[in-house]
Amino acid sequence: QGAGTVSEIQFDEVFSTTYEWYKIFIAGGMATTTGADPIMRLLVGTTAQTGTYNTYNIVGSNGPAQGVASDTQGQTTGWMLASTYNMTYSSSPDTKKRYYHDITIYDPYQTDRYIAMQANTFGWDREAAGTGYKLVVQTFGGYPTATACDGFDYLPDTGNISDTTVAVYGINKT
């Protein structure tokens, strides 16, 4: 994906039995709506799974969410990758707010236990004067499933997302 504005970025049928772990890098994820948080959902085919996503975030910031931990159990909307911090949208290139994610999904194609997720997120909220605050979030998540998940999507919990690049890599642990 690249420039442009969409409601979600969807990757259908990228998980399989070929690889057990997947690394997903998301750069420049920028919500176009004030107060939007980034979400990742699992897919079966093109259908988003709305079961029980359990997420735990640990937040470090020099901004409004300093040292906050949040525990969002039982979300049906997906894993909240930075649920204690909302991006404030600005169309000005000098004040754009961005997310960067380094995500690992462990064995998403299995059907007999939790699919585990770990994400490191960096957020940058740059003010016009060149100052601003930074956000670092460590996220751990689980999703119980009896169905093999073969894809994912990335979206804000409200509005659209723009100027986002995503790379997906499969890793064979044997």
Side-chain angles (χ1 to χ4, degrees), residues 10-172:
Q10 191 170 68
F11 288 82
D12 307 332
E13 300 176 4
V14 293
F15 303 147
S16 72
T17 57
T18 303
Y19 302 106
E20 289 118 333
W21 301 342
Y22 290 85
K23 288 298 288 184
I24 302 164
F25 299 98
I26 302 173
M30 189 169 62
T32 61
T33 303
T34 296
D37 285 320
I39 295 174
M40 172 181 258
R41 296 185 300 201
L42 294 168
L43 303 175
V44 174
T46 60
T47 303
Q49 299 305 288
T50 57
T52 304
Y53 290 89
N54 296 312
T55 309
Y56 186 75
N57 289 324
I58 301 170
V59 180
S61 173
N62 67 335
Q66 297 178 14
V68 174
S70 69
D71 188 11
T72 53
Q73 301 294 323
Q75 296 292 315
T76 58
T77 55
W79 286 310
M80 299 293 282
L81 299 177
S83 64
T84 59
Y85 177 79
N86 296 327
M87 286 299 205
T88 305
Y89 176 69
S90 171
S91 60
S92 167
D94 288 335
T95 59
K96 289 193 179 213
K97 288 59 169 171
R98 302 181 186 281
Y99 282 119
Y100 300 90
H101 306 284
D102 174 350
I103 301 166
T104 305
I105 303 286
Y106 298 94
D107 206 8
Y109 213 70
Q110 57 78 28
T111 60
D112 62 351
R113 61 188 177 281
Y114 271 84
I115 295 172
M117 178 275 304
Q118 175 182 346
N120 295 304
T121 297
F122 175 74
W124 175 254
D125 190 349
R126 188 177 76 184
E127 303 300 328
T131 62
Y133 49 88
K134 297 99 185 149
L135 168 79
V136 178
V137 180
Q138 177 72 50
T139 303
F140 306 94
Y143 181 79
T145 186
T147 304
C149 294
D150 60 3
F152 70 95
D153 63 3
Y154 176 76
L155 64 157
D157 63 350
T158 183
N160 292 320
I161 192 161
S162 69
D163 301 320
T164 304
T165 302
V166 180
V168 180
Y169 299 92
I171 301 168
N172 193 341

